[in-house]
Amino acid sequence: MTGSNYKYPGFISYSHRDRKVAEWLHRALENYRVPKRLVGSAGQFGPVPARLYPIFRDREELSAGALAEQLRLAIAQSRCYILICSPHAATSRWVNEEVEHFLSVRDPASLLCLIVDGEPNATAKGHPERECFPPALRNATVNGLPLEPMAAQLDDDADGRDNARLKIIAGLLGVGFDELKRRDLIARNRRLAVLTGLSLGVAAVTVALAIFAVLAQREAEHSRQQGEELIGFMLGDLRGKLEPLGKLDILDAVGDRATAYFAGLDRGSDPGPRALAARAKALRQIGEVRFAQGRPADAVETLSAALKLQRDLVAAAPDDNALLFELGQTEFWVGYAGWRAGQFDQAETNFLAYQAISQKLVSRDPANLSWQIEVAYALNNLAILAFERHRYTEALPLFEQVVAKARGLVDDAALASEATKLLGALSWQGSTLLRLGRNAEALAKLQEHADLLRARVQAQPDDQWQRYALAFSLSTLGYSALDTGDTAIALSAGTEGAALAKQMVSADPSNYDYRQTLLMHSQILAGAEFQANRMEAAASENAESLRLLNDLLAHDGTNRETRRRYMTAAQLAYEMAWLRHDVAQARSVVDEALGFVGKVLPDAKPDRVDYAQAHLYALELAVYEDHDEVAAQVHREAARNALTDADESQADDAHASARLRALLGLMSGADHIPAAAQPNTKAPWTYSVQRFVERHCGKPNALLNKQLCSQYPPDAQHPRLSKTRDDR
């Protein structure tokens, strides 16, 4: 293509965390007016245009579809490639892939870099945390020499924002920076001269305009209030219509623009309580949408702003039930954010505040069934917290109360939908019974909940929320069936749930929760195929779950549930490698697991259990394959320290922590397995102690005595293990 034949003057590539800079640059480029004396002159790419429009910004321009195909086409149709460089971009898989593709098909001379943080090639200088170039750019060469792209720096100590903007514009126009800056300055001075002349005329009418100032201010306040109520409608009523269709991605731009709109308002003015209430509600609704899209940091930011605003409003008008209700909703969502991040103490504080508000509303109007629903929701939240803390005897009666309240409301047509959501407590009730060892009752409750939702889906086949609720319920049933050794139920739940999840992801690819649900069912199917001794099918499903996991982790690497599921997939891959006696594959799994948990050791207790698990894999290889006592001691200490720090009451599965302690003991000379670590099912993630003993009893090793080995005969379910034991 020639310079004039490109569809886009530029393509902006950036990490999601640099979105605000990308939005600023996008506006700055498209709104820039080229100085008249430069327009039409000869530039590097042909005649200089009057405008740089349109600029392609990948996260905004792309629609739901084949991402890679659209990106390749957009890059091919762009004259220049603009890379926003930062430590976030340097570690972004997606940015690196875009740069890699660009360099493979285009002239590197058309690459323009805007450095917003960090420094180029800092990795080579021993400061990888400061690196701002992605690997594809750091490794690129031209004629055997390292590529040195044109780079502008946003920092005031370097180019500064204005000069950095002009450098990028000069690169897009194909003209020299100094020439553009000189022409731009001349054009600005001319505009200033014109404005100075006009200001004299403006002064003449200022007095007349002042007469209408008060009326204009009132009209502006009225318009602003209408605008904020419209935003509330789009994020509330319109969201209610889009959510069943699985089309929340339509509201993405609404949330971003509304957030920017609110940030720029009220420079010292008082908009009034009604406008502030509308704004607070809109901010809370933006937070809800952000959670559904897997953007927890953005969600927490807007929810915190809403909470502060609503607390102030309620303090000023404590008898206003509508304001009190909205405050309760935001207290819940802030608590939900804490629960989702594993910060249970924070979650409890907000959930108790939500419960107190709901009870206060009911005391003011006992006949209001909607507020009774809120009391039930509050009770359900506290029951879930008790479950997460492994206080199962405390959680069970709370869930039973929620189910009883929901059954009493489900026949009310106006409340049927909310009552159905509350009946999700049936699923939690089943999970609690499972932890208490009442397996038959547990599966019955889980089946009952899935049957109830299946009937709702059949009655409302186009309601995407009902599909999601059923798919999630089936995931709980599937995991529970695996844990109790019921392979048939696990396969059935996994197959049905995966089909539902694929439909949901196809309808709304941006919905993080839908993609999480598809991942869960992929793992359920992998575990069920493993239990059924169909190893090829298990390996295929586990590989698919790892692919889904990598996509989710690239989007949000902080999500606690996603991190735990990564280790579930790693454990299954590790066990299958040992069954095949494929030590090289087992080592590959261990290296990846160590890399995953080694990036950061968070305070969240479940992550410490995962950290210990990865080091125990490495310890097994060091002791039984490499006979490397130095490496063994390193991994033994890492696992011991992590398990010492881990609080079993906070871990997702106290049995998992007990099993890891047992494995550490067996690899350190213990001669027995504690009762708490005994596997009680054939589920791949609960069966690790028995498999470990089977793997190594056939080898001459002082760490495992004959009496211990005699307690664990070969596993008849997986004959390959017993067949190859003597050979090993």
Side-chain angles (χ1 to χ4, degrees), residues 271-318:
R274 184 176 172 185
L276 287 174
R279 184 177 313 170
K281 182 177 180 179
L283 286 168
R284 189 255 299 166
Q285 291 165 330
I286 291 169
E288 294 178 32
V289 174
R290 290 292 173 263
F291 265 124
Q293 293 171 327
R295 295 167 57 180
D298 292 340
V300 169
E301 182 181 355
T302 55
L303 287 171
S304 298
L307 185 61
K308 182 180 184 304
L309 197 51
Q310 286 171 333
R311 284 176 174 171
D312 291 343
L313 288 167
V314 168

Side-chain angles (χ1 to χ4, degrees), residues 23 58 106 132 208 219 389 437 474 559 570 639:
E23 290 172 348
D58 60 359
R106 297 291 303 281
C132 69
E219 182 63 27
R389 287 167 161 161
L474 288 167
N559 187 283

Side-chain angles (χ1 to χ4, degrees), residues 4-61:
S4 60
N5 287 338
Y6 284 99
K7 180 178 180 180
Y8 305 105
F11 176 109
I12 301 177
S13 178
Y14 62 99
S15 163
H16 169 70
R17 295 188 180 183
D18 297 323
R19 175 170 53 84
K20 291 184 179 179
V21 175
E23 290 172 348
W24 164 78
L25 181 63
H26 193 204
R27 291 192 300 270
L29 297 180
E30 290 194 337
N31 293 337
Y32 183 73
R33 294 183 179 182
V34 178
K36 287 184 179 180
R37 295 199 176 187
L38 272 181
V39 175
S41 64
Q44 180 183 349
F45 307 118
V48 173
R51 299 290 297 273
L52 291 169
Y53 184 88
I55 298 293
F56 187 95
R57 181 163 69 91
D58 60 359
R59 303 313 192 273
E60 179 156 301
E61 305 289 349

Side-chain angles (χ1 to χ4, degrees), residues 64 241-252 464 506-511 514:
K241 292 179 173 62
L242 292 172
E243 192 166 30
L245 302 176
K247 293 295 183 184
L248 280 184
D249 55 318
I250 293 174
L251 293 181
D252 191 39
Q464 193 80 332
S506 177
D508 186 359
S510 70
N511 192 306
Y514 293 175

Side-chain angles (χ1 to χ4, degrees), residues 78-306:
S78 299
R79 185 168 63 233
C80 294
Y81 182 90
I82 307 164
L83 175 62
I84 294 181
C85 303
S86 72
H88 300 312
T91 57
S92 168
R93 168 188 167 189
W94 306 115
V95 170
N96 190 61
E97 288 185 4
E98 288 179 9
V99 173
E100 192 171 49
H101 173 72
F102 163 75
L103 291 173
S104 70
V105 298
R106 297 291 303 281
D107 182 358
S110 58
L111 170 63
L112 309 173
C113 294
L114 177 65
I115 300 173
V116 300
D117 192 15
E119 60 180 298
N121 301 311
T123 301
K125 302 173 186 175
H127 300 288
E129 75 283 356
R130 293 285 299 152
E131 181 61 65
C132 69
F133 279 179
L137 183 53
R138 297 200 300 271
N139 299 329
T141 60
V142 177
N143 298 323
L145 297 174
L147 173 62
E148 294 185 2
M150 191 291 289
Q153 291 186 278
L154 212 56
D155 193 343
D156 288 337
D157 293 334
D159 293 316
R161 178 164 288 212
D162 196 49
N163 281 341
R165 174 184 67 101
L166 284 177
K167 276 191 176 182
I168 297 296
I169 291 170
L172 292 173
L173 295 174
V175 301
F177 167 68
D178 291 338
E179 173 67 7
L180 179 64
K181 185 173 182 179
R182 186 174 66 84
R183 295 285 185 182
D184 186 73
L185 183 59
I186 291 171
R188 285 191 187 190
N189 288 339
R190 283 178 177 160
R191 287 195 295 270
L192 182 60
V194 172
L195 289 172
T196 301
L198 289 174
S199 65
L200 297 175
V202 170
V205 297
T206 299
V207 175
L209 291 176
I211 297 173
F212 302 101
V214 175
L215 294 175
Q217 182 180 4
R218 290 176 182 172
E219 182 63 27
E221 289 177 357
H222 179 68
S223 298
R224 181 173 59 190
Q225 182 175 303
Q226 286 185 321
E228 294 183 8
E229 288 176 352
L230 177 60
I231 290 172
F233 165 78
M234 297 182 75
L235 294 166
D237 294 5
L238 182 58
R239 177 192 170 192
K241 292 179 173 62
L242 292 172
E243 192 166 30
L245 302 176
K247 293 295 183 184
L248 280 184
D249 55 318
I250 293 174
L251 293 181
D252 191 39
V254 175
D256 284 341
R257 291 180 183 272
T259 302
Y261 168 75
F262 289 138
L265 285 179
D266 309 327
R267 308 288 184 185
S269 64
D270 182 6
R274 184 176 172 185
L276 287 174
R279 184 177 313 170
K281 182 177 180 179
L283 286 168
R284 189 255 299 166
Q285 291 165 330
I286 291 169
E288 294 178 32
V289 174
R290 290 292 173 263
F291 265 124
Q293 293 171 327
R295 295 167 57 180
D298 292 340
V300 169
E301 182 181 355
T302 55
L303 287 171
S304 298

Side-chain angles (χ1 to χ4, degrees), residues 429-430 433-434 437-446:
Q429 194 177 351
L433 288 165
L434 193 69
R438 295 157 62 177
N439 294 354
E441 294 176 77
L443 290 180
K445 291 292 182 186
L446 294 168

Side-chain angles (χ1 to χ4, degrees), residues 213-541:
V214 175
L215 294 175
Q217 182 180 4
R218 290 176 182 172
E219 182 63 27
E221 289 177 357
H222 179 68
S223 298
R224 181 173 59 190
Q225 182 175 303
Q226 286 185 321
E228 294 183 8
E229 288 176 352
L230 177 60
I231 290 172
F233 165 78
M234 297 182 75
L235 294 166
D237 294 5
L238 182 58
R239 177 192 170 192
K241 292 179 173 62
L242 292 172
E243 192 166 30
L245 302 176
K247 293 295 183 184
L248 280 184
D249 55 318
I250 293 174
L251 293 181
D252 191 39
V254 175
D256 284 341
R257 291 180 183 272
T259 302
Y261 168 75
F262 289 138
L265 285 179
D266 309 327
R267 308 288 184 185
S269 64
D270 182 6
R274 184 176 172 185
L276 287 174
R279 184 177 313 170
K281 182 177 180 179
L283 286 168
R284 189 255 299 166
Q285 291 165 330
I286 291 169
E288 294 178 32
V289 174
R290 290 292 173 263
F291 265 124
Q293 293 171 327
R295 295 167 57 180
D298 292 340
V300 169
E301 182 181 355
T302 55
L303 287 171
S304 298
L307 185 61
K308 182 180 184 304
L309 197 51
Q310 286 171 333
R311 284 176 174 171
D312 291 343
L313 288 167
V314 168
D319 296 328
D320 190 320
N321 289 342
L323 288 178
L324 188 61
F325 174 81
E326 285 299 326
L327 174 59
Q329 299 303 295
T330 308
E331 290 280 6
F332 160 74
W333 278 102
V334 174
Y336 174 76
W339 171 75
R340 192 158 170 169
Q343 298 167 353
F344 297 149
D345 290 341
Q346 175 198 319
E348 184 174 32
T349 298
N350 294 110
F351 284 165
L352 286 171
Y354 170 49
Q355 183 186 45
I357 288 170
S358 301
Q359 290 172 337
K360 182 178 289 188
L361 287 168
V362 169
S363 69
R364 293 179 179 180
D365 185 1
N368 190 317
L369 294 180
S370 295
W371 289 349
Q372 290 184 27
I373 285 276
E374 296 301 319
V375 171
Y377 273 132
L379 188 63
N380 193 56
N381 297 336
L382 296 171
I384 291 171
L385 272 183
F387 177 92
E388 293 277 17
R389 287 167 161 161
H390 296 273
R391 302 171 185 169
Y392 302 124
T393 55
E394 176 186 333
L396 186 60
L398 295 178
F399 285 127
E400 289 171 347
Q401 290 179 52
V402 176
V403 170
K405 286 180 179 292
R407 290 192 195 281
L409 298 169
V410 76
D411 292 331
D412 187 317
L415 299 174
S417 177
E418 294 300 318
T420 301
K421 291 179 182 179
L422 274 173
L423 281 172
L426 272 172
S427 181
W428 283 101
Q429 194 177 351
S431 296
T432 308
L433 288 165
L434 193 69
R435 300 304 193 279
L436 293 171
R438 295 157 62 177
N439 294 354
E441 294 176 77
L443 290 180
K445 291 292 182 186
L446 294 168
Q447 287 276 24
E448 180 184 356
H449 185 238
D451 291 344
L452 181 151
L453 291 172
R454 193 178 292 109
R456 297 279 296 184
V457 169
Q458 290 170 354
Q460 298 174 293
D462 296 328
D463 190 330
Q464 193 80 332
W465 188 91
Q466 298 289 357
R467 287 176 178 274
Y468 169 67
L470 173 57
F472 194 88
S473 175
L474 288 167
S475 72
T476 306
L477 174 60
Y479 278 122
S480 301
L482 284 176
D483 284 344
T484 57
D486 198 322
T487 307
I489 290 179
L491 278 171
S492 175
T495 302
E496 182 183 1
L500 285 166
K502 286 175 182 176
Q503 292 173 358
M504 295 186 303
V505 170
S506 177
D508 186 359
S510 70
N511 192 306
Y512 189 84
D513 291 336
Y514 293 175
R515 291 154 62 197
Q516 275 270 26
T517 306
L518 180 57
L519 162 65
M520 290 190 288
H521 285 291
S522 181
Q523 288 200 325
I524 289 166
L525 289 172
E529 296 291 1
F530 181 90
Q531 283 188 0
N533 199 29
R534 294 192 286 265
M535 294 300 158
E536 289 186 9
S540 176
E541 283 292 347

